[in-house]
Amino acid sequence: MSHSAVSQAATAVSVSVGNERSLRRSVFKHNNSISFNTKSSWSSSLALNQKTTTTIRDARRYTSTTTLCMSVQQASSSKVSVSPIELEDPSDPPLNLYKPKDSYTAKIVSVERVVGPKAPGETCHIVIDHDGNLPYWEGQSYGVIPPGENPKKPGAPHNVRLYSIASTRYGDFFDGKTASLCVRRAVYYDPETGKEDPSKNGVCSNFLCDSKPGDNIQITGPSGKVMLLPENDPNATHIMIATGTGVAPYRGYLRRLFMEDVPNYGFKGLAWLFLGVANTDSLLYDDEFSKYLKDHPDNFRFDKALSREEKNKKGGKMYVQDKIEEYSDEIFKLLDNGAHIYFCGLKGMMPGIQDTLKRVAEERGESWDAKLSQLRKNKQWHVEVY
């Protein structure tokens, strides 16, 4: 779909979002005692008037996710109302509500390629309908069990694969019933022939990227507490560093901070995103992030490292650690003042980043080991790599 077509479709969608939100809010009953400790407690507390909402939900599930997201960006700079507000009540995050031997059967809503034609590889944005039965917090992960038999354990299912959730607890439809994943298709090419070997391709990533709306998907979780977004200080600074699909949790953070009208939470601090990808066509959620930059210039910064299009100061490829080094003095000062720093992406990103931070620390006359120890002690250091 062209940008002009999306823009035209977006206008119509944006109108229905606002009207529907007020209707949805009216059918939820507020319950201050809601808990995520058991499946039954929250599933009963978030019960819907099904007759009123089923038609609306089904209609929205199969509307283009891209169009809906674009409508939010283009309609206005005002925030989007979210419901059910009960999702704000629990003091602790939901953890392992469904385990591998007792997984939850969700449904695929949409699978959309979110990179351009010149991007190396394919990355998809996948929306999953959990119908409110698998709540999560921003920064957590879902486990996915792909269909089929584990080749290493005949007769047993595949092992669980973890994916960072790329949406807020309200999901892409702002109603607490979906979750989104950002998945890069893992493809193996034989180094000798240069041809793809499907037998060695990533089982789960290919299952997800090949899924169709309505397909069943087995989910476990949610899991993870390391990457949770601290919200006790609305004036906090959050420095987010990602490579590729590692941007997933930050997409959730930023929608919560800048897109959603979250009750009793108004962010007034600084969110600073560093994203490293191969080229412009590989940028993920760039329209959303650019919109935040336009609407919230005092609260959001966005720096990109395009390794195949840009050079660092030494004339080599521009990686995310090179971009961090450009702003190292400012980053260190922010960390000294209590900023949170997050890292998400491939394990291979961390050595280069750690080396850069260590070199910068030494240039400042500091011990990086001591500084890192203090950041961890203060719970300012958040790392999730795979």
Side-chain angles (χ1 to χ4, degrees):
M1 183 181 288
S2 67
H3 284 296
S4 60
V6 170
S7 179
Q8 292 171 1
T11 304
V13 175
S14 63
V15 174
S16 65
V17 169
N19 293 341
E20 185 180 322
R21 182 107 319 90
S22 59
L23 185 152
R24 277 209 159 253
R25 186 179 292 275
S26 69
V27 299
F28 280 98
K29 295 181 179 179
H30 191 71
N31 181 356
N32 289 318
S33 63
I34 185 172
S35 166
F36 282 137
N37 292 333
T38 63
K39 297 174 191 175
S40 59
S41 63
W42 47 258
S43 61
S44 59
S45 296
L46 297 183
L48 282 173
N49 179 328
Q50 292 294 334
K51 184 176 180 180
T52 306
T53 60
T54 298
T55 302
I56 293 174
R57 184 177 69 243
D58 291 347
R60 293 183 72 191
R61 289 291 177 271
Y62 297 96
T63 300
S64 165
T65 304
T66 300
T67 302
L68 182 65
C69 292
M70 289 292 286
S71 73
V72 173
Q73 295 163 24
Q74 295 181 358
S76 70
S77 61
S78 60
K79 292 189 175 183
V80 178
S81 296
V82 292
S83 65
I85 58 174
E86 287 88 344
L87 292 177
E88 300 297 322
D89 292 342
S91 57
D92 295 312
L95 287 170
N96 301 313
L97 300 173
Y98 288 88
K99 299 180 180 179
K101 292 184 179 180
D102 182 28
S103 60
Y104 179 77
T105 303
K107 286 192 178 294
I108 298 290
V109 175
S110 62
V111 178
E112 298 191 28
R113 179 185 171 101
V114 287
V115 291
K118 295 181 180 179
E122 180 181 24
T123 301
C124 294
H125 180 77
I126 299 164
V127 181
I128 299 166
D129 187 348
H130 59 74
D131 204 28
N133 295 315
L134 202 55
Y136 56 88
W137 281 10
E138 299 73 24
Q140 289 191 300
S141 299
Y142 272 170
V144 178
I145 305 175
E149 186 177 282
N150 189 333
K152 296 181 179 179
K153 299 178 181 178
H158 282 290
N159 294 331
V160 174
R161 271 72 163 184
L162 290 178
Y163 292 92
S164 298
I165 299 172
S167 51
T168 73
R169 66 193 70 185
Y170 297 100
D172 281 5
F173 299 107
F174 313 107
D175 61 3
K177 291 187 171 293
T178 68
S180 300
L181 304 180
C182 181
V183 179
R184 177 168 178 171
R185 185 189 295 272
V187 180
Y188 177 83
Y189 291 92
D190 187 290
E192 293 184 3
T193 65
K195 293 184 178 180
E196 181 182 344
D197 183 352
S199 67
K200 296 182 180 179
N201 286 349
V203 173
C204 199
S205 66
N206 281 272
F207 157 67
L208 288 169
C209 291
D210 289 335
S211 295
K212 300 293 187 292
D215 286 354
N216 288 339
I217 176 173
Q218 300 304 126
I219 304 289
T220 68
S223 62
K225 297 177 72 174
V226 173
M227 294 290 285
L228 295 178
L229 182 67
E231 297 185 354
N232 57 325
D233 180 7
N235 298 305
T237 295
H238 304 282
I239 303 169
M240 300 164 280
I241 298 164
T243 56
T245 57
V247 77
Y250 309 143
R251 194 241 183 188
Y253 295 173
L254 295 171
R255 285 172 77 90
R256 185 165 175 83
L257 298 178
F258 299 125
M259 183 181 285
E260 298 178 345
D261 184 13
V262 179
N264 303 317
Y265 181 58
F267 180 65
K268 301 179 181 66
L270 172 66
W272 191 355
L273 174 62
F274 290 86
L275 176 58
V277 294
N279 54 24
T280 302
D281 270 21
S282 302
L283 288 169
L284 300 168
Y285 310 113
D286 195 53
D287 287 341
E288 287 188 26
F289 301 154
S290 297
K291 183 68 163 58
Y292 304 146
L293 198 60
K294 177 183 176 182
D295 292 343
H296 307 276
D298 296 330
N299 305 100
F300 181 54
R301 294 174 65 172
F302 182 24
D303 284 278
K304 312 166 190 177
L306 308 178
S307 61
R308 300 189 184 181
E309 295 179 3
E310 300 175 328
K311 301 293 184 183
N312 61 25
K313 64 181 182 181
K314 296 179 181 178
K317 291 184 177 181
M318 174 69 81
Y319 293 110
V320 72
Q321 61 263 31
D322 300 310
K323 189 63 68 172
I324 292 169
E325 188 171 10
E326 286 184 17
Y327 297 97
S328 57
D329 283 342
E330 191 172 359
I331 289 172
F332 270 64
K333 288 176 182 176
L334 290 171
L335 290 174
D336 289 341
N337 289 325
H340 290 269
I341 190 165
Y342 310 79
F343 304 88
C344 191
L346 296 174
K347 286 182 180 178
M349 72 183 273
M350 288 309 294
I353 290 173
Q354 290 266 36
D355 289 345
T356 296
L357 294 173
K358 182 177 181 179
R359 184 173 64 253
V360 171
E362 291 173 349
E363 290 172 355
R364 293 165 57 92
E366 299 181 57
S367 164
W368 173 243
D369 290 340
K371 193 173 192 68
L372 178 57
S373 177
Q374 189 63 43
L375 290 172
R376 285 173 169 159
K377 182 179 179 181
N378 294 344
K379 298 182 178 179
Q380 296 172 250
W381 184 263
H382 312 263
V383 179
E384 184 173 85
V385 292
Y386 41 85

